[in-house]
Amino acid sequence: MKVDAVGSVAPCDLSSSKPVTPRDPAAAELTPAEYALFASVARVRRMYTGETLFRRGDLGTTMFVISSGAVELDFGEDLIAKRLGPREFFGELGLLIGDHARSADAVATSDGELLELRHEEFQLLVERDSTHVSYFLRRAIMRVVLNEQGLIRRLRRRNQDLESALDSLRATAHQLNQTEVLIRTDELTGLYNRRGLSLHLQERRRSGTLSGLALLLVDCDRFKQVNDEHGHLVGDRVLQGVANILRSVVGPGDLACRLGGDEFCLLVKAGDRDEVMRYADFVVATAHGLLQVPQSPPLICTLSLGACLLAPDADWNDWYARADAALYRAKRLGGSRVEWQDASLAPA
């Protein structure tokens, strides 16, 4: 025997006194000398195409060497399967550790023969040629280490890919949320728009929560005059001022909406007329109070409101018609006031 550079013993070929050429530590193939040694003690077993030799998770104590044919090892979890051929071995951890849970499904992909080595046969190998067995064990252990390291690297790469995919999904979800906000929201005031109001009403109807609500239509008095005298930028600031008043009124589950132009609405929870009128009077009084503060150009205007309770069995067109009838009366009576519309009254 010859001592190698690191002080370990290199095995000799059984048919020659020459040392065996060092092999790739990760190789699963036995040298001819190793194969001959293993074959001298192993049991021979036939295998047939499609036969499952063991399943992932099965406990095993047997190592296999392929004499002829091929075997595929499927590790699952989207990992790359391995295809083994003649003189390659697998299942060695079951032999070395005992009752080791198999890490792959082993399936024969062609007819052939296997060598089976249990603990008893392996002990015979140690007694017959400990040098070759020692060299094989070092290779087998190194192969396991390298395979596990490779598996860890693949899992890390897969985790990185998953994290990248999750980041992309989060970004896409954020963009969708932003798009949903834009679809539902009025750009100038930040309140809901007509589409947002329609979607909100659909959601409430599906959930059966339309009862106990009131609708307040809000219209700016003499808003065209503001635009004509001060320009549209001032008109936009007035609309934003109205939106701020309405925003201060709504609570959880309520909704403030700009229907278009200088027309707004409030959808609020209210049990009766008196409760609705408290909301409406606050809006009118707040706008009127802000106008008492000297401001040029104006940042607010007086507001007219029409109010009604929602009948859950009706629809938006009916609710709007009744609230609009009340709003029309408020405008006709000079504005800066609230008018109420009962369900029993026909719209004006």
Side-chain angles (χ1 to χ4, degrees):
M1 290 184 291
K2 177 182 177 181
V3 179
D4 63 19
V6 294
S8 58
V9 177
C12 298
D13 192 298
L14 292 181
S15 60
S16 168
S17 60
K18 295 180 181 180
V20 175
T21 302
R23 311 183 70 250
D24 177 4
E29 185 178 344
L30 298 178
T31 66
E34 288 172 335
Y35 178 81
L37 177 63
F38 280 47
S40 68
V41 299
R43 295 182 300 165
V44 177
R45 168 180 169 176
R46 289 287 301 168
M47 66 176 180
Y48 301 94
T49 303
E51 179 184 356
T52 298
L53 305 174
F54 54 72
R55 294 280 186 190
R56 187 166 60 252
D58 289 350
L59 297 181
T61 59
T62 304
M63 169 183 157
F64 300 90
V65 180
I66 301 173
S67 295
S68 62
V71 172
E72 183 175 270
L73 301 180
D74 180 3
F75 299 91
E77 303 292 334
D78 299 326
L79 299 176
I80 299 173
K82 288 185 179 180
R83 186 180 177 86
L84 305 179
R87 293 218 316 262
E88 292 187 292
F89 61 90
F90 60 96
E92 65 274 16
L93 283 181
L95 177 64
L96 303 178
I97 297 176
D99 283 336
H100 176 72
R102 304 297 192 183
S103 58
D105 293 343
V107 179
T109 56
S110 66
D111 293 350
E113 285 189 349
L114 297 171
L115 302 181
E116 288 188 346
L117 289 101
R118 300 165 303 175
H119 183 72
E120 295 83 354
E121 286 82 23
F122 194 75
Q123 285 300 116
L124 290 176
L125 287 179
V126 174
E127 295 169 5
R128 184 168 299 185
D129 193 330
S130 60
T131 300
H132 271 82
V133 172
S134 174
Y135 180 68
F136 166 77
L137 287 175
R138 285 192 290 116
R139 265 189 34 237
I141 293 171
M142 181 62 72
R143 176 169 171 259
V144 170
V145 171
L146 292 176
N147 285 342
E148 291 301 316
Q149 289 174 342
L151 175 59
I152 290 171
R153 284 195 298 271
R154 289 194 296 273
L155 290 174
R156 283 176 178 167
R157 284 197 297 270
R158 189 177 65 173
N159 287 340
Q160 290 171 352
D161 292 342
L162 286 174
E163 288 175 2
S164 297
L166 287 174
D167 288 340
S168 297
L169 288 174
R170 291 190 192 102
T172 301
H174 178 71
Q175 291 173 351
L176 290 174
N177 289 337
Q178 292 297 101
T179 301
E180 180 69 14
V181 169
L182 291 175
I183 289 174
R184 290 175 176 252
T185 306
D186 175 60
E187 185 176 2
L188 176 65
T189 64
L191 301 182
Y192 272 62
N193 56 22
R194 277 185 177 272
R195 177 177 174 80
L197 172 64
S198 176
L199 292 172
H200 179 79
L201 290 172
Q202 290 175 21
E203 291 164 2
R204 296 199 76 131
R205 188 176 293 280
R206 281 196 297 268
S207 62
T209 56
L210 278 176
S211 58
L213 296 177
L215 174 64
L216 291 80
L217 283 186
V218 182
D219 193 80
C220 298
D221 296 330
R222 292 171 288 280
F223 181 71
K224 184 177 183 302
Q225 183 179 340
V226 173
N227 273 335
D228 292 343
E229 294 182 4
H230 302 284
H232 289 285
L233 289 178
V234 172
D236 286 348
R237 286 198 291 270
V238 168
L239 294 176
Q240 289 167 344
V242 174
N244 288 336
I245 295 174
L246 301 184
R247 194 177 287 111
S248 70
V249 171
V250 295
D254 297 339
L255 180 143
C257 171
R258 182 188 177 199
L259 294 173
D262 63 334
E263 186 178 31
F264 298 79
C265 78
L266 282 172
L267 195 68
V268 297
K269 290 181 290 186
D272 54 34
R273 171 177 175 165
D274 290 342
E275 191 173 359
V276 178
M277 292 301 286
R278 282 197 293 272
Y279 283 107
D281 290 338
F282 174 83
V283 172
V284 171
T286 301
H288 187 269
L290 290 173
L291 270 177
Q292 305 311 305
V293 180
Q295 47 190 353
S296 183
L299 298 179
I300 198 67
C301 61
T302 59
L303 301 174
S304 296
L305 275 74
C308 69
L309 290 172
L310 300 192
D313 56 344
D315 60 19
W316 167 253
N317 291 330
D318 179 68
W319 303 327
Y320 181 87
R322 289 196 285 116
D324 190 52
L327 175 62
Y328 179 78
R329 289 198 304 275
K331 301 284 281 189
R332 191 174 57 192
L333 294 172
S336 191
R337 61 185 294 131
V338 185
E339 286 294 316
W340 177 264
Q341 180 69 58
D342 284 322
S344 60
L345 296 179

